[in-house]
Amino acid sequence: MHDFLIAPFAEFDFMRRALLGALMLSLTACPVGVFLMLRRMSLTGEAMSHAILPGAAAGFLIYGLKILPMTIGGLIAGAIVAVGAGAVARLTVQKEDASMAAFYLISLAVGVVLVSLRGSSVDLMHVLFGTVLALNDDALWLIMIVLAVTVLVLVILWRALVAECLDPLFLRSVSKLGGITHQAFLGLVVLNLVAGFQALGTLLSVGLMILPAAGARFWTTSVLPMVGLAVVIGAMSSVGGLLLSYHASLPSGPAIILSSGAIYAASVLLGPRGALMPLLTRRTHRTG
């Protein structure tokens, strides 16, 4: 048991770095994922994860695989797509979901073309799927800073975020925080996706944000316990995925997301609000 669970992290520095980065990502991305899910914006998070690709690719095209240029590029690209999609939705007849889909598809194509101009297929895979086993000090510091900013914003805007999940129109009618809260939250989404792509790539970073949150919802209806449970699921997925990657020689990022998907599937079936519990409850009532 020690050789299977402890030895990979005890013996190899890259495994400890990967674990630290993945755990910090769980702490910062999973709470944001809960609010994305409660606001019915999960697909918006997916779109935004593709939207940061052109900026990250532009940073890669100019400076190579360096953290700061790719991070700044990803933030700029994410902000442009968020603002552009919102402007199209406000100024035209097109709904926000359709404009977001259009923007993210264009962004994904532009990003892949930019990476292909200079890099190899290996570089493209690195940008798209990340390299959690190759996290350096700069990447860990970036994730730590994003974690601190996320916690600070959530503490300050917690009540407004919860209220907006329940009734956004009411919040905007009684408080000036409605618009500010929405923009701040979108900023958090972009920040966490940019931090996540260092480890999981632009395609999979949203997975650690959404899947633990979706799984947690089958176990509780209260927001704060849901956030805590999502973080626990994210941490379990990180540990399980890294161990699966090490022992089965699988890609580390997809292994983490697959672990999270397995916990989600178990939650769908076994959670108090899942598929099987209502059936078992009805059967118990009938036999009683």
Side-chain angles (χ1 to χ4, degrees), residues 59 101 141 153 208:
W141 274 109
V153 173
L208 196 59

Side-chain angles (χ1 to χ4, degrees), residues 41-54:
M41 293 175 60
S42 299
L43 291 180
T44 298
E46 173 71 18
M48 292 302 297
S49 71
H50 301 317
I52 66 176
L53 180 58

Side-chain angles (χ1 to χ4, degrees), residues 270-284:
L270 304 176
R273 306 178 69 229
L276 293 182
M277 190 57 66
L279 296 177
L280 294 176
T281 303
R282 286 197 208 105
R283 183 172 296 178
T284 301

